[in-house]
Amino acid sequence: MLLPSLPVLCRRALPFSRAFACAMTLTATLLTQTPASAADLPRVVLLATGGTIAGAADPRSQSGYNAGAVSAEALLASVPGIGMHAQLTAEQIASIGSQDMNESVWFQLAQRIDALAKDPGVAGIVITHGTDTMEETALFLDLVTATDKPIVLVGAMRPSTAVSADGPRNLLEAVMVAADPKAKGRGALVVLNDTIHGARDVTKTNTVSVQTFQSLNFGAVGGVSPDAVAFYAPPAPRRHLDLPAAGPLPRVEIIYAYAGVDAAPVDAAVKSGARGLVLAGVGDGNASKATIAALQAAAKAGIPVVRASRTGSGPVLRNIELNDDELGFSAAAFYAPAKARVLLQLLIANGRITPAQVQPAYLPD
């Protein structure tokens, strides 16, 4: 005898307003029923933080939505067949849009990952996250976690209620990567749109495209489809920085260069208590003479200064456009400004503040 569809079953027993939640619960039950071989599947833990992948429609506009409105369990339930790839458990760490991502959530994620890494029954970890600051969270976790177990960040460009939502497929592929032994030892990875990116190079490049994430300098590290996971090269060497026992991390401000910029942004950052400064410079990490002079004064006062570029790709090279040795600056190499900031926060937290201590951390392996 064929059963009615899940929404029909729910509508028979519940008001329409609760039918969707009921359908999600029933779907989750069916998807997580244990087949005979399920005990042999790797265990993957989902840590949910919100974001567009967990977004739900909002009536303010045709494509408006609220981030973080859908639970971790409902996300898993929305992906048919996901339980064929791993034994899955879910934990809700936060329910925010990634524009509100903060150090408190970062510390929670790092500490939970550390605990899960010690569990021999856990094969990998998936983190659902908004796309706006995903690259920063990925780098932070890549730097402060020491486990060789896969840490996979995943998100979506369309909310869960959108036509042709990209979240379910992205989540399926993230679970596949986290469960794959070939992903071990690669640090934090970002999986969207059938592509696997490394934490250091990946960046968001488009406001709406589902292929927004690109690794502009070194390229993607792998690819994934519903059938297979493939990596293009062996794991790259990893760097590790100790995570402070508690926050906050040292305050590091980004100074954005533009035509006509003067010393005011630097002066304001120093006055507000910045313990480090990153220049999002024009070209090869440059800025006006007034800005450079203000940054030099900050460096002489013991505030680490790192030159990065606002261009989006390419390296910022030491002692090319500017005399970094004379100015007391470090060059960010291939780190974009937002990532250069995360790295500098952790370097300062680990007592590395001089150019001789800071510069090596930015150089390619």
Side-chain angles (χ1 to χ4, degrees), residues 243-255:
L243 181 67
L249 291 172
R251 181 168 185 156
V252 173
E253 296 289 350
I254 297 175
I255 307 299

Side-chain angles (χ1 to χ4, degrees), residues 33 49 62-63 79 85 89 97 139 142 197 243-245 257 265-266 268 313 365:
Q33 285 178 343
T49 68
Q62 185 174 3
S63 52
V79 188
H85 298 280
T89 56
L139 180 64
D142 189 76
H197 298 275
L243 181 67
V266 178
S313 63
D365 296 315

Side-chain angles (χ1 to χ4, degrees), residues 7 14 87 99 111 115 142-143 146 179 208 223 242 244 276 289 308 322 363:
L14 295 172
Q87 302 177 65
Q99 70 276 6
Q111 291 161 0
D142 189 76
L143 290 169
V208 295
D242 291 333
K289 292 179 180 179
L322 296 174
L363 298 178

Side-chain angles (χ1 to χ4, degrees), residues 31 38 80 169 177 225 254 285-286 308 363:
L31 289 176
R169 178 166 175 141
V177 173
S225 73
I254 297 175
N286 211 337
L363 298 178

